[in-house]
Amino acid sequence: MATPVRSNSRLSLAMERTDQWIFSQDIPTDVVVVVCEARFSLHVFMLVAKSNYFRKLILESKEPVLTKIDLSGIPGGPQIFEKAAKFCYGVNFEITVHNVAALRCAAEYLQMTDLYCDNNLAGRTEDFLAQVALSSLSGAIVVLKSCEDLLPLAEDVKIVQRCVDVISLKACNEANFPSRTPPNWWTEELSILDIEFFGIILSRMKKRGSNALTLASALITYTERNLRDLVRDHSGKCTKSSDSDDPGLYARERELLQSIVSHLPLEKAAFPINFLCCLLRTAIFVRASNSCKNELEKRISVMLEHVTVDDLLVMSFTYDGERLFDLDSESYPVAMHKVAKTVDSYLGEIATYPELTISKFNGIAILVPKGARKFDDDLYRAIDIFLKAHPNLDEIEREKVCSVMDPLKLTYEARLHASQNKRLPVQIVLHALYYDQLKLRSGADDQPAAAAATRSQLQSDVSLVRENEALRSELMKMKLYVSDMQKNQGSSTKGASTTSGSRKHSFFSSMSKKLGKLNPFKHGSKDSFHIDDNIGVDVTKPRRRRFSIS
């Protein structure tokens, strides 16, 4: 309510000053001009001398004497008409960048042009526009800002077009060759404009060759200034909150945000990821349209390799400003599931690159909170592709790759595949098999409670699994050691075996002969296991032997 009071006080002072210099002429007034709530007592002959509008009005009037004229539709209202009337009376007043557009439109409305009278108000304002107002970027911006309440007449007299041309040209020059510090000072100047004029200037700057980063810098500054209560910085902190369901709440902010998103450059990577996430949080908070939120989600999805968990978490704000996760919103789990699926699909695409390291792979996978994945099937697919593309990983490295996945969140088909997957480490396979065994024993369904119980019991078996893995590692080391020993021994005796092959053969032959002589069963034996069945020997009757004493 403070603004109308100040406006009325200024209007009263203006009327008082007008009355003073009119009555000082010592000529009675003969017409009253009404502009909204203001009334001006003037002289017809002074108005007709400069304004063709008053001349036509008096000539075409059916009344013998026109004593009252209503000019409530004049651009600029009573304050601007006061200056136009002063110009008719030859009284000096100041033309500034703030009122020149309104004076030019009023001159057009009152037909105070040079065609009707030399050196008229239209010509004076045109000279000021060309020589003063449009000679600087700041002046042109102020003039364009004043045209917001003068449409469409300001467009008809080409003020808007001229301002846009000057601003876009000078803004491009400042972006490429800053004339003062800070270099982006011109973005602060542009942020006072209405979003429609701001969008027109961005389009004109793009036609002049401005790159996406320059336009993005202007949009970021404009957003931070005009949505200051909702977007204070890139961290997404908010100072306002509401628990009301009133759809009209934040209507202005909602329309402004939707317009800002519609003016974003087509280059999706032109903006920082945290700024886009901040816009998405604000869009959800002010209940922007689905198209607005979808556009922001698309832009964020192509930059997920730069996103952090804090950026992706959608915030809601209570009445006391407390930051809470918007878990009650239906759009939150749906959006997070889409983000998780996008990240996992992205991992599956880049997993085939041999230069992709384990740390980078895991770093991208953990960007999505674990609760965002209902099942880890897509993540398991990406891990399997990574292991297949990196066959030289040892057991420990494969365990690191699989550490981002929860085997208990795999579906039955995925667990069945994992149990037969030779690329997975043994620990992951054991987890999958153990979970299925527990399900068979207890008959429990695939519920989160059962998964939690299984996970707690599996933790007690981790030590046993690690011991088994250590034992297997020791066995492999022993095999390698024995293999090396055999290779060394074979190489040391190879030379001797090749030079004395015949000697070696005779040595073993002679040794076998000597051992044969020592055989106590050479001349007969009761051992029937070594007798050939084809020899006709009666083993039931032993051979008679003669015993004698010599």
Side-chain angles (χ1 to χ4, degrees):
M1 298 300 293
T3 302
V5 173
R6 291 196 298 268
S7 178
N8 291 335
S9 62
R10 289 196 301 268
L11 179 61
S12 300
L13 292 175
M15 293 176 62
E16 182 179 353
R17 292 194 303 270
T18 303
D19 292 339
Q20 289 177 357
W21 56 259
I22 288 177
F23 290 128
S24 64
Q25 306 295 325
D26 295 330
I27 301 176
T29 61
D30 52 4
V31 66
V32 175
V33 179
V34 179
V35 183
C36 298
E37 70 278 7
R39 299 170 63 89
F40 297 89
S41 298
L42 302 173
H43 300 88
V44 172
F45 72 94
M46 298 297 292
L47 299 177
V48 171
K50 296 290 184 180
S51 173
N52 191 36
Y53 175 86
F54 285 110
R55 176 178 174 275
K56 290 181 178 180
L57 191 64
I58 293 174
L59 291 178
E60 296 174 359
S61 177
K62 297 180 180 180
E63 299 179 6
V65 179
L66 185 62
T67 59
K68 184 178 180 181
I69 301 175
D70 189 355
L71 282 182
S72 297
I74 187 173
Q79 291 82 6
I80 295 301
F81 177 75
E82 178 203 358
K83 292 179 172 55
K86 285 184 176 181
F87 184 85
C88 293
Y89 279 83
V91 179
N92 292 328
F93 60 91
E94 185 180 7
I95 300 178
T96 66
V97 293
H98 297 280
N99 63 23
V100 63
L103 285 172
R104 177 64 184 88
C105 292
E108 192 71 18
Y109 183 87
L110 297 174
Q111 301 178 19
M112 299 174 65
T113 63
D114 291 347
L115 294 177
Y116 182 74
C117 176
D118 293 336
N119 199 21
N120 211 337
L121 180 60
R124 296 281 295 274
T125 54
E126 286 290 341
D127 292 340
F128 185 86
L129 282 170
Q131 299 175 13
V132 180
L134 301 183
S135 63
S136 64
L137 176 61
S138 300
I141 292 175
V142 173
V143 173
L144 184 59
K145 174 65 177 177
S146 65
C147 291
E148 295 175 0
D149 299 327
L150 302 173
L151 299 175
L153 190 55
E155 293 179 335
D156 295 339
V157 296
K158 307 299 182 182
I159 299 179
V160 173
Q161 180 179 349
R162 293 165 62 186
C163 290
V164 170
D165 290 339
V166 171
I167 293 172
S168 59
L169 176 62
K170 292 185 179 296
C172 289
N173 294 336
E174 285 294 330
N176 297 325
F177 310 101
S179 61
R180 56 182 170 135
T181 57
N184 63 337
W185 66 270
W186 59 274
T187 62
E188 291 285 346
E189 299 281 344
L190 287 178
S191 61
I192 69 172
L193 295 175
D194 182 80
I195 185 61
E196 294 184 3
F197 284 160
F198 182 77
I200 294 173
I201 291 175
L202 290 183
S203 300
R204 193 65 57 86
M205 290 179 64
K206 186 176 181 180
K207 291 182 180 179
R208 292 183 179 275
S210 294
N211 56 39
L213 294 178
T214 300
L215 303 179
S217 175
L219 270 167
I220 291 174
T221 304
Y222 187 89
T223 304
E224 291 177 345
R225 175 161 181 164
N226 290 276
L227 292 176
R228 185 174 301 173
D229 293 333
L230 295 173
V231 185
R232 283 204 308 185
D233 53 33
H234 291 176
S235 65
K237 296 179 180 179
C238 180
T239 57
K240 283 189 177 181
S241 59
S242 174
D243 53 0
S244 174
D245 294 331
D246 184 8
L249 194 64
Y250 298 117
R252 188 194 72 84
E253 290 83 355
R254 179 166 53 251
E255 294 178 0
L256 178 58
L257 178 63
Q258 293 174 173
S259 299
I260 290 174
V261 174
S262 66
H263 287 98
L264 296 180
L266 296 178
E267 294 79 1
K268 298 184 184 300
F271 294 90
I273 186 70
N274 50 7
F275 175 75
L276 294 176
C277 292
C278 185
L279 286 185
L280 180 58
R281 281 191 288 266
T282 306
I284 295 174
F285 179 72
V286 300
R287 302 178 182 178
S289 64
N290 291 331
S291 60
C292 174
K293 292 184 285 188
N294 291 338
E295 175 64 22
L296 292 172
E297 290 175 356
K298 290 179 182 178
R299 291 176 178 270
I300 293 173
S301 64
V302 300
M303 302 175 64
L304 281 176
E305 63 270 24
H306 304 295
V307 78
T308 63
V309 176
D310 289 338
D311 293 328
L312 290 177
L313 293 180
V314 181
M315 300 292 181
S316 73
F317 303 89
T318 60
Y319 63 92
D320 56 356
E322 183 181 359
R323 293 166 46 140
L324 297 174
F325 297 130
D326 191 10
L327 299 178
D328 295 331
S329 175
E330 294 182 359
S331 60
Y332 174 78
V334 174
M336 294 307 295
H337 289 164
K338 290 182 180 180
V339 171
K341 191 172 185 65
T342 303
V343 172
D344 295 341
S345 300
Y346 175 75
L347 283 173
E349 293 294 329
I350 67 175
T352 57
Y353 293 97
E355 61 271 15
L356 181 64
T357 62
I358 297 176
S359 60
K360 290 183 178 180
F361 182 88
N362 290 357
I364 297 174
I366 64 177
L367 290 176
V368 180
K370 292 184 178 180
R373 294 184 176 94
K374 187 176 182 180
F375 297 105
D376 281 7
D377 289 15
D378 293 332
L379 181 58
Y380 167 66
R381 174 182 173 274
I383 291 174
D384 189 36
I385 295 174
F386 183 86
L387 295 178
K388 186 177 181 179
H390 300 77
N392 297 325
L393 298 178
D394 57 25
E395 188 77 6
I396 297 178
E397 290 174 334
R398 285 185 288 137
E399 288 182 358
K400 289 182 179 179
V401 176
C402 297
S403 62
V404 297
M405 176 186 66
D406 188 355
L408 305 182
K409 291 181 67 176
L410 298 176
T411 61
Y412 174 76
E413 292 77 9
R415 287 198 304 270
L416 182 62
H417 184 276
S419 63
Q420 302 173 0
N421 193 345
K422 296 181 179 180
R423 288 184 290 269
L424 294 179
V426 178
Q427 185 176 359
I428 300 299
V429 177
L430 289 177
H431 281 194
L433 293 175
Y434 190 66
Y435 179 66
D436 286 333
Q437 289 295 326
L438 285 181
K439 284 186 63 179
L440 290 175
R441 290 181 182 180
S442 61
D445 295 332
D446 196 359
Q447 297 294 335
T454 304
R455 188 180 295 106
S456 62
Q457 186 157 356
L458 283 175
Q459 291 177 354
S460 62
D461 296 338
V462 171
S463 59
L464 179 59
V465 174
R466 294 187 183 278
E467 290 178 3
N468 292 337
E469 291 298 316
L471 180 59
R472 187 172 69 173
S473 178
E474 292 295 331
L475 289 176
M476 292 296 297
K477 291 180 181 179
M478 184 61 68
K479 287 182 179 181
L480 293 175
Y481 178 74
V482 173
S483 177
D484 292 340
M485 290 283 291
Q486 291 176 350
K487 289 181 181 179
N488 294 333
Q489 184 177 2
S491 61
S492 63
T493 58
K494 184 176 181 181
S497 62
T498 55
T499 57
S500 58
S502 60
R503 182 180 177 183
K504 181 178 180 181
H505 177 74
S506 61
F507 172 76
F508 280 102
S509 299
S510 60
M511 286 297 296
S512 61
K513 291 180 181 180
K514 290 181 180 181
L515 291 175
K517 293 179 181 180
L518 297 176
N519 185 3
F521 304 104
K522 178 180 180 182
H523 301 289
S525 173
K526 296 180 180 181
D527 188 0
S528 62
F529 292 101
H530 301 284
I531 299 177
D532 193 352
D533 293 337
N534 297 327
I535 301 176
V537 179
D538 188 3
V539 296
T540 60
K541 294 182 180 180
R543 184 178 179 182
R544 288 186 178 183
R545 296 180 183 275
R546 182 178 178 181
F547 295 93
S548 61
I549 300 175
S550 58

